[in-house]
Amino acid sequence: ASATMMPPPPDPPPPPPLRAAHAGAFGDRAGDVAVQDTNDEACASKLSCANAGYIVDEWARHFVKPGPMGRVKKYPPIINRGYYTRVATMRNIIECFLRECVLPGDARDGVLSRITRRQIVQIGAGFDTTYFRLRQKAAAPLTYLEVDYAEVVDKKARVINAKPELARQMMVGSRGVYPCELIAEDGDIPPGRGYNPGGESPSHSYRDDGGYRLPA
């Protein structure tokens, strides 16, 4: 009798789409909101660290919404020390980059030019206050970009324009930041897209009159 041929095994199912494989448990939108919420927690932690005397950050309070009766959240020493380590490390890295990274012409142009010719790009910057600290020290690079979600960018722009202490740190007076189109950032602001205090940008991108950019 002839042997019975077994049918070939079925093909394995195709892998799920890459986006679905990396989506949050409740969908992409919920995952994005969860990521954005970490910004609020980080701001509160940095303010607690500053209030406890671990770091100096006079700008952090502007980005933290007070709780009941105007109180701000306090964290235990282990959290404050952790954020101190994180902040101090990043400050050292940034200042080392601005002052010690050598480019052609640095020896000729001096230390101030060496700093201003640098560029910093922060991905997921949130409400980080590094730019304001560098501006206060006259050590901000010529170009400084802070990239984040559109919702976070819009909120940060509104806070900057609502707080004179922050707006004054922007380039050229206290104009603050205003909506812009990134594709036209080096030219004139398109009609209807000029200075709009408290407003939001159609492209969720903002700039000052110098090298600060706040794009989504």
Side-chain angles (χ1 to χ4, degrees):
S2 59
T4 302
M5 299 294 293
M6 298 293 292
D11 294 333
L18 184 61
R19 184 172 180 81
H22 291 77
F26 301 100
D28 287 350
R29 176 58 185 166
D32 289 345
V33 172
V35 172
Q36 293 175 42
D37 287 345
T38 63
N39 173 58
D40 297 333
E41 187 69 17
C43 289
S45 299
K46 289 176 184 176
L47 181 58
S48 172
C49 186
N51 288 341
Y54 288 89
I55 61 173
V56 176
D57 190 337
E58 63 185 270
W59 318 106
R61 60 188 174 87
H62 297 296
F63 295 100
V64 177
K65 186 177 180 180
M69 301 180 66
R71 295 175 179 172
V72 294
K73 196 171 182 179
K74 293 183 179 180
Y75 288 85
I78 190 171
I79 300 297
N80 291 330
R81 291 169 184 167
Y83 267 88
Y84 163 77
T85 303
R86 179 178 178 179
V87 170
T89 299
M90 291 307 303
R91 286 181 177 181
N92 287 337
I93 291 173
I94 290 171
E95 292 181 5
C96 183
F97 164 70
L98 291 176
R99 295 185 176 277
E100 299 183 17
C101 179
V102 178
L103 293 176
D106 282 347
R108 180 187 69 246
D109 298 333
V111 175
L112 182 60
S113 177
R114 177 183 301 183
I115 292 172
T116 58
R117 291 172 61 203
R118 304 298 184 261
Q119 173 175 277
I120 291 178
V121 180
Q122 277 189 285
I123 307 298
F127 291 167
D128 184 71
T129 59
T130 298
Y131 178 77
F132 304 104
R133 188 177 65 86
L134 293 176
R135 280 283 295 161
Q136 188 182 47
K137 296 173 59 178
L142 185 62
T143 304
Y144 201 107
L145 288 87
E146 295 186 327
V147 185
D148 214 305
Y149 286 98
E151 295 86 351
V152 176
V153 163
D154 288 335
K155 289 178 182 178
K156 189 165 191 176
R158 289 197 299 269
V159 172
I160 291 173
N161 287 336
K163 303 289 186 177
E165 299 94 327
L166 299 176
R168 282 196 294 267
Q169 294 301 320
M170 298 292 105
M171 291 290 287
V172 190
S174 58
R175 189 181 185 187
V177 294
Y178 51 91
C180 72
E181 295 288 352
L182 290 183
I183 59 173
E185 66 171 14
D186 293 325
D188 294 331
I189 301 300
R193 305 284 177 87
Y195 184 42
N196 181 23
E200 294 183 0
S201 167
S203 63
H204 303 285
S205 298
Y206 302 82
R207 64 173 294 174
D208 69 354
D209 287 327
Y212 181 76
R213 301 290 184 273
L214 187 59

